[in-house]
Structure formats: structure tokens, C-alpha cells
Amino acid sequence: MSYPRKLVLLGATGSIGESSLRVIRKHRDKLQLIGVSAFKNAAKVSSIAHEFGVSKVHLCQTPPENFQLPQVTELISGHQALLDLAAWEEADIVLIAVVGAAGLAPTLAALEAGKDVVLANKESLVVGGELVMETARRTGARILPADSEHNAVFQCLQGQPDKTLESLALTASGGPFRDWPVEKLNQVTPEQALKHPNWVMGPKITVDSATMANKGLELIEAKWLFELPPEKLHVLIHPPSVVHAIVQFKDGCSFAQMSPPCMTFALQNALLYPDRFEGVEEGIDLCNSLDLSFSPPDLCRYPCLKLAIDALVEKGCAPLVFNASNEMAVEAFLSNRIGFGDISNIIDRTLNLFEHRSFKSLEELLILDNEARTLAESLIVQVS
Ligand code: NAD
Ligand code: MG
């Protein structure tokens, strides 16, 4: 693909949105931002529109009266307008940086239109992996993984013959409570959970990292992206977050990808693929001793990871129910309605009580997603 690449960035005001803007600023001659979306942060969207002169801005919520956009910018709203922006014929690349299952419909719309999709939103693959992969196959659209571990696997696979990947391991820092006594975990407050030792991220994924639900979601994401069965997908605790993933090929040789724990590396790799230009940040210092320690996770400390692995093995709608109940439970934890330890209990009970069924279309999927959220909310009310 030639330069400049025209880019639509959905979820521009979040943490991934900010990291993406840093990559775009660095490579203005190669990446041209033409459309952005956000849930409600009108002030931030306005400043992005002014800085980059974007043509279209989508807001989910009505902006305040004093909201101002450049004259060249069109303000759009409503669900269909978001899908139209994702499928906009002007765009070469659509970056999905929306948080949660809300990212699924725009991801499908962009793939349906044959766009290159840079996918940060892991939840879309967790809830609708089959629909997403089938749409990409049918239209020939490419999915370029931007989640750091998946981008690491993607980089390790470049130039390798098809069907030679044997297994992979995604690394995890273990979060801020890696060394806490397990019995103290129920006392964790939202403020403590929102302080990740290595990464700066949005609130939902930061809590997911503390419970390791995040790594569970990422295993399911990896299953769809790299077509490996559950027994070939592994997790390793690696506290410094310098190695992001390790792949092993059929002949027993392994490759790992390393970079500092900053999302600009993965995002730049996906946005400028297959080219490599100077990065936004310095790479790792190879002359400084590297901590390359890895250990398997203790599933008793991380029950959310165990539940995600069970859902991955079970297939059907279990990953969708896992995701929906996790989203509800994390929101309830962040608003002080439930304790940290309740997050896994809510997911566990929702998975057990849910009437599991298969689904074929986005419409059927959304019905199940809604049901799972209603059930999870009723369980949250019981403990709050
Ligand atoms: P965030 O909360 O910081 O930002 C989310 C963005 O999505 C915001 O722009 C917000 O306005 C928008 N948004 C929220 N709800 C929406 C809705 N219902 N409809 C449309 N837009 C909505 O989140 P984040 O940390 O940037 O994460 C975004 C996605 O990227 C998540 O799926 C996360 O798992 C994934 N991811 C994040 C990181 C990271 O370092 N932050 C790393 C890997 C993957
Ligand atoms: Mg990740």
C-alpha cells in the first residue's frame, strides 16, 4: 500500500487512541487521519480535529453547546453513522480502539467494506471471532493485530511458511497484586487496581490486567487470529513486560519479540506494515542486562484467567458470556458496587446460570450478549 495511508480511528480519545495519535504525529507524511470517533469526550475530539484537520467526527453522546469543530469537519452521530464511518470508502485503514464488545459492529462493518483493520479491540474477537474471521476471509480484508502480544506473534510469523506454527505463549506482567497474599485480594480498591506496574492503559483493561481476565481474553483472541487449539496457547508471567510473546515452530525453534512496554511499538508496526521506520520511543537497551524470567501463572490467584481458559475450551457462546459478565463486573467494581474478588464470582455464576445456545448472525449474538449482561447485573445486585 502506498503513502500517505488514509486512516479512520475509532475510539480516538482513549489510551490506545492517544498512543495512535503519537504514531501519526511522528509519521505525518505516511499516515493521514481523516475520521475519528469517541463516546463522549467532546473537548478532546475537538482538539484532535483541529490538530489533524480530520474530515469526519463521530460522537455517541450529544456534544455541549459550545462544542467547536474546524470548518472542514463534519459532525456525525447515531449507530449507523459509526458503521458508515468504519466502512467509509475514503479510508485505507480503520483502527478499532473502542473498548468492549461495542467494538464488534464497527469491526465487522470495516471488514465487510474490505478495509485493512488494525485491531486493538480484543473483545470483538472474543465475542464474535467466527463472524469476524469469516467476514475477513470472504472480503479479503486484512486484520493487523495491535494488541501487543498478538502483534508480537504476528511479527514472529513474518516470512515463515504457512502451517508451521506449533504453539505460542503470551506474556503477562501478573499485575499489581502478583505478590499479594491471596486472602488479601478481596480488599483491593479500584484506586489500587487502576495502578498497573508497567503499562498505562484505559480503566477497563487495567482492571482486567489485575485480575488477568485480560490474558484470558487474549488467549481467545489468539485462537482466532492464529488458528491454534487451546492446548497450544500458553500464558507466562514475565514481570518486566519486555518480551511480549514467544512462538514455537514445528521444528522446535522459538522466536520472541521484545520492545519496551509501550503501545506505540505494536501500533506503528500494524499501521505501517510491512515497513519499518524510526519509532516514537527508543527500543530496549541491549547493553543493559535483560530480565528474561518466565513462570507459569498460579490459576488460584487468578480465577478469572481460569474461567476464560474454561470458556475457550468450551467454545459456543461461553467466551461471549465470559466477556459480557466481565464487562459488567468490572464496571460494578469501578463504581464501588462489588469487591475485587466478586468479579470472578459474578463471571463464574453467570457462566453457570446462562442458558447457553449457539448463534450464527450478529443479531443473534447481540441478543445473547444482552441476556448475559442482564443476568450478570441481577447477580451484581445480589452482592452489592
Ligand atoms: P479507553 O477506555 O482508554 O478508550 C476507549 C475508547 O472507546 C474511547 O475513545 C471511548 O470514547 C470509546 N468508547 C467507549 N465506549 C464506547 C462505545 N460504547 N461506543 C463507541 N466508542 C466507545 O480504552 P483503551 O485502554 O484505549 O482500550 C481500547 C481497546 O484496546 C480495548 O479493547 C482494549 O482491550 C484494547 N487494548 C488496549 C491496550 C492499552 O494499552 N490501552 C493494549 C492492548 C489492547
Ligand atoms: Mg495485550
Side-chain angles (χ1 to χ4, degrees):
M1 195 195 296
S2 60
Y3 295 112
R5 297 176 178 176
K6 291 184 179 173
L7 173 66
V8 164
L9 168 54
L10 305 184
T13 54
S15 164
I16 287 286
E18 276 182 13
S19 297
S20 309
L21 295 176
R22 294 183 65 211
V23 174
I24 299 166
R25 270 185 208 108
K26 174 93 188 175
H27 298 288
R28 285 216 187 232
D29 54 332
K30 300 185 180 65
L31 296 167
Q32 186 189 347
L33 190 60
I34 59 166
V36 293
S37 85
F39 191 67
K40 62 175 182 195
N41 193 337
K44 205 162 174 181
V45 153
S46 166
S47 125
I48 295 169
H50 279 95
E51 179 182 351
F52 294 92
V54 301
S55 305
K56 288 192 192 205
V57 158
H58 180 276
L59 271 174
C60 293
Q61 290 196 354
T62 313
E65 297 229 324
N66 60 358
F67 180 61
Q68 283 202 342
L69 285 175
Q71 281 202 332
V72 292
T73 310
E74 180 191 355
L75 176 65
I76 53 176
S77 61
H79 186 63
Q80 187 55 47
L82 179 64
L83 304 187
D84 291 345
L85 181 59
W88 189 17
E89 62 197 13
E90 284 290 310
D92 300 311
I93 308 176
V94 182
L95 198 166
I96 314 281
V98 169
V99 62
L104 175 62
T107 301
L108 287 172
L111 291 171
E112 194 63 60
K115 304 292 172 194
D116 272 356
V117 169
V118 171
L119 192 59
N121 175 276
K122 61 196 82 188
E123 294 91 346
S124 52
L125 278 171
V126 173
V127 304
E130 197 161 348
L131 283 174
V132 169
M133 299 313 290
E134 188 277 319
T135 307
R137 261 193 302 274
R138 180 164 45 75
T139 63
R142 288 192 300 187
I143 300 174
L144 300 155
D147 205 347
S148 55
E149 300 75 5
H150 305 73
N151 181 264
V153 173
F154 179 74
Q155 291 195 44
C156 292
L157 294 179
Q158 297 308 306
Q160 300 297 330
D162 278 355
K163 312 268 181 225
T164 52
L165 177 65
E166 175 63 21
S167 64
L168 60 82
L170 309 177
T171 63
S173 70
F177 315 119
R178 190 180 61 232
D179 301 319
W180 278 38
V182 175
E183 60 281 3
K184 262 189 74 185
L185 290 179
N186 212 20
Q187 298 161 21
V188 166
T189 64
E191 292 69 35
Q192 290 168 322
L194 286 173
K195 283 201 191 100
H196 194 278
N198 303 344
W199 297 93
V200 180
M201 307 180 285
K204 191 251 176 192
I205 183 176
T206 306
V207 175
D208 283 352
S209 298
T211 62
M212 278 190 71
N214 183 51
K215 216 45 57 178
L217 296 171
E218 291 185 353
L219 285 174
I220 302 169
E221 181 185 13
K223 161 211 150 121
W224 288 110
L225 287 172
F226 307 114
E227 298 177 355
L228 286 177
E231 64 277 12
K232 298 196 171 186
L233 298 166
H234 308 289
V235 172
L236 289 171
I237 302 283
H238 169 56
S241 305
V242 171
V243 174
H244 302 293
I246 307 172
V247 303
Q248 189 157 102
F249 294 98
K250 300 271 183 217
D251 60 1
C253 293
S254 288
F255 286 14
Q257 186 271 345
M258 293 190 252
S259 46
C262 172
M263 284 306 295
T264 55
F265 292 95
L267 286 162
Q268 176 163 324
N269 181 270
L271 287 167
L272 299 180
Y273 175 81
D275 296 328
R276 290 189 189 267
F277 300 100
E278 190 179 321
V280 175
E281 305 271 345
E282 291 284 312
I284 49 174
D285 180 357
L286 295 174
C287 298
N288 237 330
S289 64
L290 282 172
D291 175 354
L292 294 181
S293 54
F294 303 96
S295 57
D298 169 3
L299 294 183
C300 296
R301 176 178 292 279
Y302 301 111
C304 290
L305 175 59
K306 164 90 172 70
L307 290 165
I309 293 171
D310 292 346
L312 165 70
V313 172
E314 192 170 322
K315 298 192 267 188
C317 73
L320 174 151
V321 178
F322 175 90
N323 180 71
S325 52
N326 180 55
E327 283 191 29
M328 297 298 288
V330 170
E331 207 176 289
F333 167 67
L334 285 174
S335 46
N336 288 303
R337 293 175 65 205
I338 62 171
F340 187 74
D342 293 326
I343 297 176
S344 59
N345 292 334
I346 297 292
I347 300 171
D348 193 10
R349 294 189 61 206
T350 309
L351 278 161
N352 277 318
L353 293 172
F354 195 77
E355 194 193 314
H356 289 244
R357 283 110 70 202
S358 59
F359 58 88
K360 291 247 172 315
S361 63
L362 178 61
E363 292 68 35
E364 289 173 359
L365 178 157
L366 292 174
I367 292 170
L368 293 184
D369 187 64
N370 204 25
E371 267 180 38
R373 281 167 202 266
T374 306
L375 176 56
E377 174 59 24
S378 71
L379 299 171
I380 289 167
V381 168
Q382 283 175 21
V383 292
S384 55

